[in-house]
Amino acid sequence: MKNLLFTILITASTVSAGSAQGIFRVSAGTEMLVNNGVRIVLNNTSFESNGGLGLGSLSRFVFTGNSSVASISGTGNIVFGELEFNKPSGVVQLNRMVSIFSGVNFTSGNL
């Protein structure tokens, strides 16, 4: 039941109204904690954290898709386990400092 509830909440909060590209937001006053082995894929979606994000060292956060620009932004603390970029016809714009446990994989695209 917890997995279903989590999926519904994430789906309801990922896309900004009126925007062709979605934004996955962690709001101020909240924290998203993810255990090891989880893979989060943002397809044509930016990531904004004004709260906290903590991923286990073996978790992967993946930016994919063909939108022109996706970004990593916000004012909250961001700690990625592993970061992957797979955007063949777009870029990921890094608008803030982030911490990374394991490493960064560039499959295609630009940072």
Side-chain angles (χ1 to χ4, degrees):
M1 184 62 180
K2 287 183 182 180
N3 289 340
L4 179 60
L5 179 60
F6 182 71
T7 301
I8 291 169
L9 293 175
I10 295 300
T11 302
S13 66
T14 56
V15 179
S16 296
S19 175
Q21 176 179 322
I23 300 174
F24 182 92
R25 285 192 177 98
V26 178
S27 300
T30 62
E31 187 170 14
M32 180 178 163
L33 300 174
V34 179
N35 289 329
N36 284 332
V38 174
R39 185 172 187 242
I40 297 173
V41 179
L42 298 182
N43 186 37
N44 293 326
T45 303
S46 292
F47 178 73
E48 178 183 323
S49 178
N50 295 312
L53 171 70
L55 280 92
S57 61
L58 300 176
S59 294
R60 182 178 290 183
F61 210 89
V62 183
F63 287 87
T64 66
N66 56 10
S67 64
S68 58
V69 178
S71 65
I72 300 172
S73 62
T75 58
N77 187 35
I78 299 177
V79 180
F80 293 110
E82 186 175 317
L83 199 52
E84 180 180 331
F85 302 101
N86 186 5
K87 293 186 61 64
S89 62
V91 300
V92 176
Q93 184 174 344
L94 187 60
N95 293 330
R96 55 155 299 130
M97 288 180 52
V98 299
S99 297
I100 301 170
F101 278 117
S102 296
V104 179
N105 294 317
F106 293 93
T107 305
S108 65
N110 297 306
L111 176 64

